[in-house]
mmCIF file of all heavy atoms in Angstrom:
data_model
loop_
_atom_site.group_PDB
_atom_site.id
_atom_site.type_symbol
_atom_site.label_atom_id
_atom_site.label_comp_id
_atom_site.label_asym_id
_atom_site.label_seq_id
_atom_site.Cartn_x
_atom_site.Cartn_y
_atom_site.Cartn_z
ATOM 1 N N LEU C 16 -2.338 10.505 3.973
ATOM 2 C CA LEU C 16 -2.078 9.372 4.860
ATOM 3 C C LEU C 16 -0.608 9.228 5.190
ATOM 4 O O LEU C 16 -0.229 8.903 6.314
ATOM 5 C CB LEU C 16 -2.609 8.071 4.244
ATOM 6 C CG LEU C 16 -4.122 7.967 4.030
ATOM 7 C CD1 LEU C 16 -4.474 6.668 3.335
ATOM 8 C CD2 LEU C 16 -4.877 8.079 5.346
ATOM 9 N N LEU C 17 0.226 9.510 4.204
ATOM 10 C CA LEU C 17 1.659 9.416 4.405
ATOM 11 C C LEU C 17 2.129 10.449 5.449
ATOM 12 O O LEU C 17 2.955 10.127 6.323
ATOM 13 C CB LEU C 17 2.389 9.647 3.070
ATOM 14 C CG LEU C 17 3.905 9.506 3.069
ATOM 15 C CD1 LEU C 17 4.326 8.083 3.485
ATOM 16 C CD2 LEU C 17 4.482 9.849 1.681
ATOM 17 N N ASP C 18 1.617 11.670 5.343
ATOM 18 C CA ASP C 18 1.968 12.716 6.320
ATOM 19 C C ASP C 18 1.566 12.298 7.729
ATOM 20 O O ASP C 18 2.333 12.504 8.690
ATOM 21 C CB ASP C 18 1.288 14.040 5.963
ATOM 22 C CG ASP C 18 1.901 14.686 4.738
ATOM 23 O OD1 ASP C 18 3.046 14.348 4.380
ATOM 24 O OD2 ASP C 18 1.235 15.547 4.112
ATOM 25 N N GLU C 19 0.384 11.713 7.871
ATOM 26 C CA GLU C 19 -0.113 11.272 9.175
ATOM 27 C C GLU C 19 0.751 10.141 9.727
ATOM 28 O O GLU C 19 1.081 10.116 10.912
ATOM 29 C CB GLU C 19 -1.571 10.839 9.070
ATOM 30 C CG GLU C 19 -2.185 10.402 10.382
ATOM 31 C CD GLU C 19 -2.360 11.521 11.370
ATOM 32 O OE1 GLU C 19 -2.330 12.705 10.970
ATOM 33 O OE2 GLU C 19 -2.569 11.227 12.587
ATOM 34 N N ARG C 20 1.121 9.201 8.859
ATOM 35 C CA ARG C 20 1.948 8.079 9.334
ATOM 36 C C ARG C 20 3.342 8.557 9.756
ATOM 37 O O ARG C 20 3.874 8.099 10.760
ATOM 38 C CB ARG C 20 2.091 7.026 8.229
ATOM 39 C CG ARG C 20 2.764 5.749 8.689
ATOM 40 C CD ARG C 20 2.940 4.759 7.581
ATOM 41 N NE ARG C 20 3.966 5.143 6.642
ATOM 42 C CZ ARG C 20 4.370 4.421 5.599
ATOM 43 N NH1 ARG C 20 3.761 3.259 5.365
ATOM 44 N NH2 ARG C 20 5.317 4.824 4.785
ATOM 45 N N ASP C 21 3.918 9.471 8.988
ATOM 46 C CA ASP C 21 5.218 10.014 9.347
ATOM 47 C C ASP C 21 5.157 10.767 10.687
ATOM 48 O O ASP C 21 6.073 10.659 11.514
ATOM 49 C CB ASP C 21 5.711 10.975 8.254
ATOM 50 C CG ASP C 21 6.081 10.232 6.989
ATOM 51 O OD1 ASP C 21 6.154 8.980 7.003
ATOM 52 O OD2 ASP C 21 6.332 10.897 5.947
ATOM 53 N N LYS C 22 4.062 11.486 10.908
ATOM 54 C CA LYS C 22 3.925 12.247 12.139
ATOM 55 C C LYS C 22 3.869 11.330 13.358
ATOM 56 O O LYS C 22 4.411 11.638 14.422
ATOM 57 C CB LYS C 22 2.635 13.098 12.072
ATOM 58 C CG LYS C 22 2.437 14.021 13.244
ATOM 59 C CD LYS C 22 1.285 14.980 13.013
ATOM 60 C CE LYS C 22 -0.049 14.242 13.017
ATOM 61 N NZ LYS C 22 -1.189 15.175 12.905
ATOM 62 N N ASN C 23 3.206 10.181 13.202
ATOM 63 C CA ASN C 23 3.027 9.259 14.318
ATOM 64 C C ASN C 23 4.068 8.143 14.362
ATOM 65 O O ASN C 23 4.033 7.270 15.231
ATOM 66 C CB ASN C 23 1.635 8.621 14.262
ATOM 67 C CG ASN C 23 0.553 9.641 14.445
ATOM 68 O OD1 ASN C 23 0.686 10.557 15.258
ATOM 69 N ND2 ASN C 23 -0.549 9.504 13.720
ATOM 70 N N LYS C 24 5.017 8.157 13.388
ATOM 71 C CA LYS C 24 6.076 7.145 13.317
ATOM 72 C C LYS C 24 5.503 5.719 13.363
ATOM 73 O O LYS C 24 5.978 4.867 14.086
ATOM 74 C CB LYS C 24 7.102 7.362 14.431
ATOM 75 C CG LYS C 24 7.863 8.660 14.326
ATOM 76 C CD LYS C 24 8.882 8.803 15.417
ATOM 77 C CE LYS C 24 9.811 10.005 15.212
ATOM 78 N NZ LYS C 24 9.074 11.280 15.161
ATOM 79 N N ASN C 25 4.455 5.489 12.585
ATOM 80 C CA ASN C 25 3.779 4.193 12.531
ATOM 81 C C ASN C 25 4.556 3.273 11.580
ATOM 82 O O ASN C 25 4.660 3.582 10.379
ATOM 83 C CB ASN C 25 2.356 4.397 12.058
ATOM 84 C CG ASN C 25 1.532 3.118 12.101
ATOM 85 O OD1 ASN C 25 2.028 2.051 11.760
ATOM 86 N ND2 ASN C 25 0.290 3.244 12.519
ATOM 87 N N ASP C 26 5.081 2.177 12.108
ATOM 88 C CA ASP C 26 5.876 1.262 11.257
ATOM 89 C C ASP C 26 5.162 -0.069 11.029
ATOM 90 O O ASP C 26 5.772 -1.032 10.543
ATOM 91 C CB ASP C 26 7.263 1.017 11.870
ATOM 92 C CG ASP C 26 7.189 0.310 13.224
ATOM 93 O OD1 ASP C 26 6.091 0.161 13.795
ATOM 94 O OD2 ASP C 26 8.269 -0.085 13.743
ATOM 95 N N LYS C 27 3.851 -0.123 11.342
ATOM 96 C CA LYS C 27 3.106 -1.366 11.169
ATOM 97 C C LYS C 27 2.001 -1.244 10.105
ATOM 98 O O LYS C 27 1.275 -2.190 9.855
ATOM 99 C CB LYS C 27 2.490 -1.812 12.495
ATOM 100 C CG LYS C 27 3.539 -2.210 13.537
ATOM 101 C CD LYS C 27 2.886 -2.717 14.813
ATOM 102 C CE LYS C 27 3.943 -3.137 15.824
ATOM 103 N NZ LYS C 27 3.335 -3.641 17.088
ATOM 104 N N THR C 28 1.882 -0.033 9.525
ATOM 105 C CA THR C 28 0.806 0.209 8.556
ATOM 106 C C THR C 28 1.428 0.611 7.214
ATOM 107 O O THR C 28 2.020 1.669 7.087
ATOM 108 C CB THR C 28 -0.133 1.329 9.048
ATOM 109 O OG1 THR C 28 -0.691 0.944 10.298
ATOM 110 C CG2 THR C 28 -1.240 1.539 8.028
ATOM 111 N N ALA C 29 1.288 -0.260 6.235
ATOM 112 C CA ALA C 29 1.841 -0.012 4.888
ATOM 113 C C ALA C 29 0.814 0.712 4.046
ATOM 114 O O ALA C 29 -0.377 0.470 4.144
ATOM 115 C CB ALA C 29 2.212 -1.339 4.225
ATOM 116 N N LEU C 30 1.309 1.635 3.219
ATOM 117 C CA LEU C 30 0.460 2.407 2.296
ATOM 118 C C LEU C 30 0.793 1.976 0.861
ATOM 119 O O LEU C 30 1.904 2.197 0.404
ATOM 120 C CB LEU C 30 0.694 3.894 2.462
ATOM 121 C CG LEU C 30 0.392 4.475 3.861
ATOM 122 C CD1 LEU C 30 0.757 5.948 3.909
ATOM 123 C CD2 LEU C 30 -1.085 4.299 4.210
ATOM 124 N N ILE C 31 -0.170 1.359 0.197
ATOM 125 C CA ILE C 31 0.066 0.851 -1.164
ATOM 126 C C ILE C 31 -0.835 1.619 -2.116
ATOM 127 O O ILE C 31 -2.030 1.751 -1.904
ATOM 128 C CB ILE C 31 -0.247 -0.653 -1.258
ATOM 129 C CG1 ILE C 31 0.609 -1.440 -0.267
ATOM 130 C CG2 ILE C 31 -0.012 -1.153 -2.674
ATOM 131 C CD1 ILE C 31 -0.114 -1.886 0.969
ATOM 132 N N ARG C 32 -0.217 2.151 -3.184
ATOM 133 C CA ARG C 32 -0.959 2.948 -4.144
ATOM 134 C C ARG C 32 -1.468 2.061 -5.293
ATOM 135 O O ARG C 32 -0.677 1.431 -5.977
ATOM 136 C CB ARG C 32 -0.061 4.056 -4.702
ATOM 137 C CG ARG C 32 0.118 5.206 -3.761
ATOM 138 C CD ARG C 32 1.175 6.181 -4.264
ATOM 139 N NE ARG C 32 2.511 5.763 -3.885
ATOM 140 C CZ ARG C 32 3.619 6.415 -4.207
ATOM 141 N NH1 ARG C 32 3.536 7.519 -4.975
ATOM 142 N NH2 ARG C 32 4.788 5.990 -3.815
ATOM 143 N N LEU C 33 -2.785 2.080 -5.466
ATOM 144 C CA LEU C 33 -3.398 1.420 -6.630
ATOM 145 C C LEU C 33 -3.483 2.482 -7.730
ATOM 146 O O LEU C 33 -4.432 3.228 -7.804
ATOM 147 C CB LEU C 33 -4.772 0.879 -6.272
ATOM 148 C CG LEU C 33 -5.433 -0.019 -7.329
ATOM 149 C CD1 LEU C 33 -4.644 -1.312 -7.505
ATOM 150 C CD2 LEU C 33 -6.861 -0.308 -6.944
ATOM 151 N N GLU C 34 -2.457 2.527 -8.553
ATOM 152 C CA GLU C 34 -2.381 3.550 -9.598
ATOM 153 C C GLU C 34 -3.305 3.237 -10.760
ATOM 154 O O GLU C 34 -3.910 4.162 -11.354
ATOM 155 C CB GLU C 34 -0.947 3.658 -10.107
ATOM 156 C CG GLU C 34 0.070 4.060 -9.027
ATOM 157 C CD GLU C 34 0.085 5.566 -8.782
ATOM 158 O OE1 GLU C 34 0.526 6.334 -9.647
ATOM 159 O OE2 GLU C 34 -0.373 5.979 -7.676
ATOM 160 N N GLN C 35 -3.418 1.973 -11.107
ATOM 161 C CA GLN C 35 -4.346 1.563 -12.169
ATOM 162 C C GLN C 35 -5.486 0.792 -11.495
ATOM 163 O O GLN C 35 -5.277 -0.260 -10.941
ATOM 164 C CB GLN C 35 -3.650 0.670 -13.216
ATOM 165 C CG GLN C 35 -4.596 0.184 -14.308
ATOM 166 C CD GLN C 35 -3.871 -0.598 -15.366
ATOM 167 O OE1 GLN C 35 -3.074 -0.064 -16.129
ATOM 168 N NE2 GLN C 35 -4.136 -1.910 -15.450
ATOM 169 N N ILE C 36 -6.690 1.360 -11.586
ATOM 170 C CA ILE C 36 -7.834 0.736 -10.947
ATOM 171 C C ILE C 36 -8.460 -0.310 -11.850
ATOM 172 O O ILE C 36 -8.862 -1.395 -11.408
ATOM 173 C CB ILE C 36 -8.867 1.810 -10.547
ATOM 174 C CG1 ILE C 36 -8.189 2.917 -9.723
ATOM 175 C CG2 ILE C 36 -10.011 1.194 -9.762
ATOM 176 C CD1 ILE C 36 -9.029 4.143 -9.517
ATOM 177 N N SER C 37 -8.534 0.035 -13.143
ATOM 178 C CA SER C 37 -9.054 -0.937 -14.127
ATOM 179 C C SER C 37 -8.259 -0.844 -15.418
ATOM 180 O O SER C 37 -7.927 0.269 -15.842
ATOM 181 C CB SER C 37 -10.521 -0.655 -14.433
ATOM 182 O OG SER C 37 -11.060 -1.618 -15.302
ATOM 183 N N PRO C 38 -7.879 -1.985 -16.006
ATOM 184 C CA PRO C 38 -8.085 -3.355 -15.494
ATOM 185 C C PRO C 38 -7.387 -3.564 -14.135
ATOM 186 O O PRO C 38 -6.241 -3.093 -13.957
ATOM 187 C CB PRO C 38 -7.448 -4.231 -16.574
ATOM 188 C CG PRO C 38 -7.454 -3.397 -17.816
ATOM 189 C CD PRO C 38 -7.243 -2.006 -17.339
ATOM 190 N N PHE C 39 -8.064 -4.212 -13.224
ATOM 191 C CA PHE C 39 -7.540 -4.397 -11.865
ATOM 192 C C PHE C 39 -6.290 -5.279 -11.910
ATOM 193 O O PHE C 39 -6.342 -6.384 -12.437
ATOM 194 C CB PHE C 39 -8.593 -5.023 -10.977
ATOM 195 C CG PHE C 39 -8.225 -5.076 -9.517
ATOM 196 C CD1 PHE C 39 -8.374 -3.962 -8.713
ATOM 197 C CD2 PHE C 39 -7.702 -6.233 -8.974
ATOM 198 C CE1 PHE C 39 -8.028 -3.992 -7.390
ATOM 199 C CE2 PHE C 39 -7.339 -6.283 -7.649
ATOM 200 C CZ PHE C 39 -7.524 -5.163 -6.829
ATOM 201 N N PRO C 40 -5.181 -4.803 -11.348
ATOM 202 C CA PRO C 40 -3.904 -5.564 -11.400
ATOM 203 C C PRO C 40 -3.868 -6.653 -10.334
ATOM 204 O O PRO C 40 -3.135 -6.584 -9.336
ATOM 205 C CB PRO C 40 -2.849 -4.502 -11.157
ATOM 206 C CG PRO C 40 -3.542 -3.458 -10.305
ATOM 207 C CD PRO C 40 -4.985 -3.476 -10.739
ATOM 208 N N MET C 41 -4.641 -7.696 -10.528
ATOM 209 C CA MET C 41 -4.814 -8.771 -9.550
ATOM 210 C C MET C 41 -3.490 -9.407 -9.153
ATOM 211 O O MET C 41 -3.213 -9.634 -7.940
ATOM 212 C CB MET C 41 -5.764 -9.846 -10.114
ATOM 213 C CG MET C 41 -6.246 -10.861 -9.106
ATOM 214 S SD MET C 41 -7.512 -10.195 -7.994
ATOM 215 C CE MET C 41 -8.920 -10.106 -9.087
ATOM 216 N N LYS C 42 -2.652 -9.706 -10.130
ATOM 217 C CA LYS C 42 -1.378 -10.381 -9.850
ATOM 218 C C LYS C 42 -0.469 -9.516 -8.980
ATOM 219 O O LYS C 42 0.129 -9.992 -8.000
ATOM 220 C CB LYS C 42 -0.668 -10.725 -11.183
ATOM 221 C CG LYS C 42 0.655 -11.396 -10.995
ATOM 222 C CD LYS C 42 1.332 -11.695 -12.348
ATOM 223 C CE LYS C 42 2.707 -12.306 -12.173
ATOM 224 N NZ LYS C 42 3.349 -12.546 -13.496
ATOM 225 N N GLN C 43 -0.352 -8.223 -9.314
ATOM 226 C CA GLN C 43 0.517 -7.325 -8.558
ATOM 227 C C GLN C 43 0.010 -7.131 -7.126
ATOM 228 O O GLN C 43 0.804 -7.075 -6.170
ATOM 229 C CB GLN C 43 0.635 -5.989 -9.253
ATOM 230 C CG GLN C 43 1.351 -6.031 -10.605
ATOM 231 C CD GLN C 43 0.404 -6.235 -11.764
ATOM 232 O OE1 GLN C 43 -0.573 -6.972 -11.673
ATOM 233 N NE2 GLN C 43 0.656 -5.554 -12.877
ATOM 234 N N VAL C 44 -1.296 -7.014 -6.962
ATOM 235 C CA VAL C 44 -1.859 -6.847 -5.633
ATOM 236 C C VAL C 44 -1.610 -8.106 -4.783
ATOM 237 O O VAL C 44 -1.235 -8.002 -3.611
ATOM 238 C CB VAL C 44 -3.364 -6.560 -5.718
ATOM 239 C CG1 VAL C 44 -3.993 -6.591 -4.310
ATOM 240 C CG2 VAL C 44 -3.599 -5.184 -6.343
ATOM 241 N N ALA C 45 -1.759 -9.275 -5.382
ATOM 242 C CA ALA C 45 -1.511 -10.535 -4.656
ATOM 243 C C ALA C 45 -0.074 -10.636 -4.222
ATOM 244 O O ALA C 45 0.217 -11.074 -3.082
ATOM 245 C CB ALA C 45 -1.884 -11.717 -5.548
ATOM 246 N N GLU C 46 0.854 -10.198 -5.069
ATOM 247 C CA GLU C 46 2.286 -10.240 -4.712
ATOM 248 C C GLU C 46 2.586 -9.321 -3.516
ATOM 249 O O GLU C 46 3.382 -9.653 -2.652
ATOM 250 C CB GLU C 46 3.129 -9.841 -5.901
ATOM 251 C CG GLU C 46 3.157 -10.913 -7.002
ATOM 252 C CD GLU C 46 3.868 -10.455 -8.266
ATOM 253 O OE1 GLU C 46 4.239 -9.247 -8.328
ATOM 254 O OE2 GLU C 46 4.020 -11.267 -9.178
ATOM 255 N N VAL C 47 1.922 -8.167 -3.502
ATOM 256 C CA VAL C 47 2.109 -7.236 -2.372
ATOM 257 C C VAL C 47 1.616 -7.889 -1.084
ATOM 258 O O VAL C 47 2.304 -7.853 -0.043
ATOM 259 C CB VAL C 47 1.362 -5.905 -2.631
ATOM 260 C CG1 VAL C 47 1.343 -5.042 -1.362
ATOM 261 C CG2 VAL C 47 2.036 -5.148 -3.771
ATOM 262 N N LEU C 48 0.442 -8.459 -1.116
ATOM 263 C CA LEU C 48 -0.131 -9.089 0.081
ATOM 264 C C LEU C 48 0.760 -10.239 0.581
ATOM 265 O O LEU C 48 0.927 -10.432 1.793
ATOM 266 C CB LEU C 48 -1.535 -9.599 -0.193
ATOM 267 C CG LEU C 48 -2.611 -8.518 -0.476
ATOM 268 C CD1 LEU C 48 -3.950 -9.157 -0.819
ATOM 269 C CD2 LEU C 48 -2.730 -7.562 0.697
ATOM 270 N N LYS C 49 1.305 -11.001 -0.345
ATOM 271 C CA LYS C 49 2.172 -12.119 0.049
ATOM 272 C C LYS C 49 3.456 -11.691 0.738
ATOM 273 O O LYS C 49 4.065 -12.449 1.496
ATOM 274 C CB LYS C 49 2.524 -12.970 -1.197
ATOM 275 C CG LYS C 49 1.387 -13.770 -1.742
ATOM 276 C CD LYS C 49 1.805 -14.492 -3.032
ATOM 277 C CE LYS C 49 0.644 -15.250 -3.648
ATOM 278 N NZ LYS C 49 1.035 -15.869 -4.955
ATOM 279 N N SER C 50 3.846 -10.445 0.506
ATOM 280 C CA SER C 50 5.115 -9.942 1.065
ATOM 281 C C SER C 50 4.994 -9.566 2.544
ATOM 282 O O SER C 50 5.991 -9.227 3.178
ATOM 283 C CB SER C 50 5.625 -8.759 0.280
ATOM 284 O OG SER C 50 4.778 -7.620 0.434
ATOM 285 N N TYR C 51 3.768 -9.599 3.097
ATOM 286 C CA TYR C 51 3.545 -9.201 4.501
ATOM 287 C C TYR C 51 3.129 -10.430 5.309
ATOM 288 O O TYR C 51 1.937 -10.760 5.411
ATOM 289 C CB TYR C 51 2.473 -8.121 4.582
ATOM 290 C CG TYR C 51 2.811 -6.872 3.841
ATOM 291 C CD1 TYR C 51 1.886 -6.301 2.932
ATOM 292 C CD2 TYR C 51 4.006 -6.205 4.023
ATOM 293 C CE1 TYR C 51 2.196 -5.147 2.245
ATOM 294 C CE2 TYR C 51 4.341 -5.054 3.316
ATOM 295 C CZ TYR C 51 3.410 -4.523 2.433
ATOM 296 O OH TYR C 51 3.715 -3.376 1.752
#
């Protein structure tokens, strides 16, 4: 996805990596969403 975004110079689509799926990092995900 990163290669495709770089190719199209898309600056409106953020790519966030969920490195730990479980336990689900609810607090960290919420902080990311709040930043947009």
